[in-house]
Amino acid sequence: MQIDNINFENRKVIIRVDFNVPLNKDLKVTDDTRIKAAIPTINKVIADGGTAILISHLGRPKGKEEKYSLKNIVSEIEKNLGQSITFVNDCIGDVVKESIAKSEKGSVILLENLRFYAEEKAGDVDFAKKLSELADFYINDAFGTAHRAHASTSVIAQFFPNDKCFGYLIEKEIISVNKVLNSTEKPLTAIVGGAKVSSKITIIEKLIDKVDNLIIGGGMAYTFVKAQGGKIGNSLVEDDYLELALKIMAKAKANHVNFLLPIDTIIADDFSNDANTKVVNIAEIPDGWMGLDIGEKSSELFKETILNSKLILWNGPMGVFEMEAFQKGTVDVAKTLAVATENGAFSLVGGGDSVAAINKFNLNSKISHVSTGGGAMLEYLEGKQLPGIAAILN
Ligand code: AMP
């Protein structure tokens, strides 16, 4: 059942959203991306004349901790929605039921943090049932937690056998990832960066069966360089993965995948923004120095491949982009992706740090799809069944 084909008039609709937004020490929202992302689904329900009952988690509270109360984000939701909402300081029970019963058509009710109950993360069936009693329809629009089998993301769906669907956000996430995984358009290029080979190994192995070009950057590149006999000085390395790195490269060759590593690197004599820096060949890093970003020649090399691609997937920064001195490689890739997209390619960016980089450089609107779920997107790309997705489809 697709959200666009449903009329929510007079229906009480639970929408599981992902309002796990960052807050500063004054408990003000510092990035409202996730709130913005949920608005189309909320708008659809209220425009039809239904009541939207929003449920979400925020942070990792141990019991009822005020600083994790969703009341802290009420004004931010109202600002984005353009109407006032009702906040109820619990997510199950009679007080919530009364508030919903009193609600008028087109109203929005926000319930308190689901994780104030340990039952949420435990996937407790009774808790899920209590949530389900609040509404007659269930929408899951929380892609960021779709890989978790929690009460509100997956267990609850069984109580709405014929009255459940994805929200627009999840729909778009699924369509975007499937487009990259299943499309026959070519060339398909994956850019994988970030700190460690170990955390991306499953995804790299999966991608090698799909892609035409595989670009490796970030901290993990040095493990590949060392595996081939290069000198990497004090750069990040996982010595346990040297053999596997060689196997991956051999597999890429056997699959006719164009496997690209950086050729030059910006090295530093300290892990600090103020360190002394030099640009060297990536396989010739002196002892005492570490590679913290890719160099200009690598950016150019990657650019050529990216601009020739029809589908591009990017996960993980090219360097320590949090420090200004080492952000250029990541900025270059982000900008190249924007140009490729403008030229007609489909670009998908996922994973916490690459999304943070896209936001930091204000390129969000120039990418075809920026995923809101880092872990969830990676698991979906790896081919795993996500509980939050499966619960709606079953
Ligand atoms: P991940 O979560 O695996 O995508 O890794 C992201 C992290 O990798 C960021 O915090 C980057 O600062 C870090 N990173 C990227 N390149 C390097 C590098 N050359 N050396 C150390 N850390 C890096």
Side-chain angles (χ1 to χ4, degrees):
M1 210 179 334
Q2 278 194 306
I3 183 164
D4 261 337
N5 301 330
I6 302 165
N7 186 342
F8 294 101
E9 189 169 12
N10 289 325
R11 304 196 86 171
K12 311 284 189 213
V13 184
I14 274 206
I15 311 178
R16 179 38 163 116
V17 290
D18 181 4
F19 284 169
N20 185 29
V21 290
L23 300 173
N24 64 17
K25 62 177 185 346
D26 300 321
L27 302 178
K28 292 270 175 296
V29 177
T30 55
D31 180 349
D32 66 353
T33 309
R34 286 180 165 165
I35 295 176
K36 282 202 163 68
I39 299 297
T41 298
I42 303 171
N43 273 340
K44 159 73 176 155
V45 170
I46 58 179
D48 277 2
T51 298
I53 306 155
L54 311 181
I55 55 171
S56 179
H57 74 286
L58 174 64
R60 296 179 173 176
K62 296 182 184 69
K64 294 185 181 175
E65 281 185 84
E66 275 298 291
K67 65 173 175 179
Y68 294 113
S69 171
L70 282 173
K71 74 167 185 269
N72 298 318
I73 68 167
V74 166
S75 59
E76 204 65 37
I77 299 171
E78 289 179 333
K79 198 171 83 192
N80 275 287
L81 202 57
Q83 77 173 57
S84 60
I85 66 172
T86 305
F87 173 72
V88 187
N89 67 353
D90 207 339
C91 61
I92 49 171
D94 290 341
V95 188
V96 186
K97 283 183 184 165
E98 277 162 32
S99 181
I100 294 169
K102 277 194 303 203
S103 68
E104 288 173 9
K105 269 181 161 190
S107 55
V108 178
I109 301 173
L110 173 70
L111 305 186
E112 183 54 289
N113 195 340
L114 294 159
R115 289 199 188 163
F116 281 3
Y117 290 88
E119 289 89 336
E120 161 64 359
K121 276 178 90 170
D124 185 86
V125 179
D126 284 339
F127 179 71
K129 185 160 188 294
K130 283 180 189 154
L131 286 171
S132 75
E133 286 164 2
L134 305 173
D136 49 48
F137 200 98
Y138 170 68
I139 298 180
N140 188 1
D141 210 17
F143 187 66
T145 45
H147 56 321
R148 307 277 181 233
H150 294 168
S152 71
T153 59
S154 131
V155 184
I156 187 175
Q158 65 190 282
F159 300 106
F160 300 94
N162 300 310
D163 296 296
K164 56 184 177 180
C165 71
F166 295 121
Y168 290 115
L169 176 63
I170 289 205
E171 243 180 38
K172 187 164 179 235
E173 297 274 6
I174 299 175
I175 290 168
S176 302
V177 180
N178 284 348
K179 189 161 176 154
V180 171
L181 283 184
N182 305 332
S183 171
T184 47
E185 265 191 278
K186 283 182 169 295
L188 164 58
T189 298
I191 310 154
V192 185
K196 292 181 174 172
V197 185
S198 54
S199 64
K200 304 275 166 83
I201 197 71
T202 325
I203 183 93
I204 291 175
E205 286 184 325
K206 173 93 186 168
L207 288 171
I208 274 189
D209 292 329
K210 300 251 172 222
V211 301
D212 303 294
N213 306 298
L214 181 58
I215 295 176
I216 300 280
M220 71 173 68
Y222 305 93
T223 297
F224 286 93
V225 174
K226 182 170 177 181
Q228 297 173 89
K231 279 185 69 211
I232 59 159
N234 294 19
S235 306
L236 196 64
V237 67
E238 287 175 286
D239 283 319
D240 297 348
Y241 280 80
L242 296 174
E243 216 171 293
L244 193 58
L246 289 179
K247 274 195 192 140
I248 289 171
M249 294 180 76
K251 189 171 174 198
K253 198 170 175 192
N255 283 6
H256 305 291
V257 173
N258 179 27
F259 187 91
L260 288 176
L261 282 170
I263 42 181
D264 59 347
T265 174
I266 301 178
I267 56 171
D269 58 358
D270 188 20
F271 190 79
S272 133
N273 197 36
D274 309 318
N276 294 307
T277 61
K278 290 196 254 191
V279 181
V280 298
N281 180 312
I282 198 160
E284 293 167 14
I285 304 176
D287 288 340
W289 292 74
M290 62 191 101
L292 295 183
D293 196 6
I294 60 171
E296 195 79 36
K297 287 185 193 151
S298 309
S299 285
E300 281 303 314
L301 176 75
F302 295 171
K303 188 174 177 179
E304 219 180 282
T305 300
I306 295 169
L307 290 183
N308 276 318
S309 306
K310 285 272 185 302
L311 292 163
I312 309 150
L313 164 73
W314 179 29
N315 171 277
M318 296 292 103
V320 186
F321 78 104
E322 298 93 335
M323 297 185 207
E324 217 179 311
F326 311 107
Q327 69 173 27
K328 187 158 187 307
T330 303
V331 182
D332 285 347
V333 164
K335 284 187 178 160
T336 304
L337 231 64
V339 175
T341 312
E342 204 171 23
N343 293 344
F346 181 85
S347 54
L348 170 62
V349 179
D353 277 312
S354 5
V355 174
I358 290 285
N359 287 336
K360 185 172 171 188
F361 313 133
N362 279 325
L363 291 166
N364 202 303
S365 63
K366 303 211 156 98
I367 305 298
S368 311
H369 184 68
V370 179
S371 177
T372 53
M377 194 191 93
L378 283 188
E379 288 194 20
Y380 196 67
L381 278 171
E382 283 167 12
K384 288 190 190 145
Q385 228 201 19
L386 308 190
I389 308 265
I392 297 288
L393 297 177
N394 289 340

